[in-house]
Amino acid sequence: ELNFYNDNRTIGYERGLTALQRVDGSYNLDTLPIRWSRHNPTDFSKTRGVSSQLRFTHKINNSLALNVLARGVNSRQEQQDHTSNFNSLVTVADGFLRNRSLQYFNQDPIFALQTNLYAEGKFTTGKIKHTLITGFDYANNGRSYYYASWGASDLNVLNPNFSSDLPLDKSEANKNFGGLTKENTILAGGYIQNQIDFSSKFKALLGLRYDTYTYHTSYIDDTDLNTTTRDTSDAQVF
């Protein structure tokens, strides 16, 4: 199975309508129309990618079978939107939404690989029946993304004029934050189990599994490209 997808939209999400506060402290919830948006009309969200899956089963004989399942995903997401923090109070008297910012978010790549392989065998020792399964699981997923934010102009919510949003001042003085993050998680495990049928009413299941987990992340801030912050986590368990 092979899938290609390409998703383009004005913006990926909306934080909701702004309620305007009256002089007495109460809120007018019906001031803005349902189609109102704090986003600039040029804001966008683009997602492109490919996913694949392979399922393979081979019956070697009546007692032994091999099964393989492999999945892979590789995609990228780019998004730009104007937003504001949740402390940006808008009053009826003023009507301006302040503390706006432009966010830029670019994930490239976003990847995931998963493989499950196991063999199943059936045999007998005397009158005792055995169903033996042994297998291996592997998963590798991660992403690399750049996330930044710059200050944007105030917006009159009752008479929005987005023309002052662009071109945006992307100088370091106007930047709230920005940096590149890389994440990677690897899971691997092997197992073996034996279902023993002593009779139709008495059975036993014996199993052993070993798992490993590794996580790595790094971050480079725009303010110091020569310094990389790293974090690592590892675990193993029977």
Side-chain angles (χ1 to χ4, degrees), residues 20-230:
L20 274 67
Q21 188 181 51
R22 302 186 182 96
V23 177
D24 61 3
S26 62
Y27 290 91
N28 187 339
L29 305 180
D30 303 317
T31 303
L32 301 178
I34 191 66
R35 293 182 62 84
W36 181 89
S37 174
R38 75 193 67 226
H39 298 298
N40 190 291
T42 62
D43 290 345
F44 61 86
S45 176
K46 302 176 182 179
T47 303
R48 300 175 179 84
V50 58
S51 64
S52 59
Q53 175 174 291
L54 171 67
R55 187 183 183 100
F56 174 77
T57 300
H58 180 56
K59 189 175 182 181
I60 299 173
N61 52 46
N62 291 331
S63 301
L64 185 61
L66 178 67
N67 299 273
V68 179
L69 177 63
R71 298 186 182 98
V73 176
N74 190 289
S75 62
R76 66 162 298 185
Q77 179 197 20
E78 185 181 19
Q79 180 170 302
Q80 173 182 295
D81 67 278
H82 285 75
T83 186
S84 60
N85 63 44
F86 293 110
N87 297 323
S88 301
L89 181 66
V90 182
T91 64
V92 173
D94 181 41
F96 274 88
L97 178 64
R98 308 185 190 281
N99 298 317
R100 290 177 73 233
S101 61
L102 180 139
Q103 298 181 128
Y104 179 74
F105 189 55
N106 187 15
Q107 299 188 92
D108 186 15
I110 312 168
F111 65 91
L113 174 65
Q114 177 186 354
T115 303
N116 307 100
L117 183 151
Y118 70 94
E120 179 180 356
K122 297 183 178 181
F123 62 95
T124 59
T125 55
K127 296 182 179 181
I128 301 176
K129 298 179 180 179
H130 300 265
T131 301
L132 187 69
I133 296 178
T134 182
F136 175 75
D137 300 327
Y138 176 81
N140 185 349
N141 62 82
R143 60 177 179 163
S144 177
Y145 65 90
Y146 178 78
Y147 183 33
S149 170
W150 296 266
S153 60
D154 298 339
L155 182 69
N156 187 332
V157 298
L158 300 176
N159 186 23
N161 180 5
F162 296 98
S163 61
S164 58
D165 285 343
L166 301 173
L168 183 76
D169 176 12
K170 289 190 176 182
S171 65
E172 289 299 319
N174 191 45
K175 182 182 288 185
N176 298 321
F177 58 82
L180 176 66
T181 301
K182 295 183 178 181
E183 298 176 334
N184 184 220
T185 302
I186 297 177
L187 303 169
Y191 60 91
I192 184 171
Q193 75 172 35
N194 186 11
Q195 178 180 302
I196 307 171
D197 297 351
F198 296 98
S199 67
S200 60
K201 296 183 179 181
F202 182 54
K203 306 176 187 295
L205 182 65
L206 305 176
L208 180 67
R209 181 179 177 95
Y210 178 73
D211 278 302
T212 64
Y213 163 86
T214 303
Y215 171 77
H216 296 284
T217 182
S218 63
Y219 177 76
I220 301 177
D221 195 284
D222 286 347
T223 59
D224 188 359
L225 300 179
N226 296 319
T227 301
T228 303
T229 303
R230 303 181 186 276

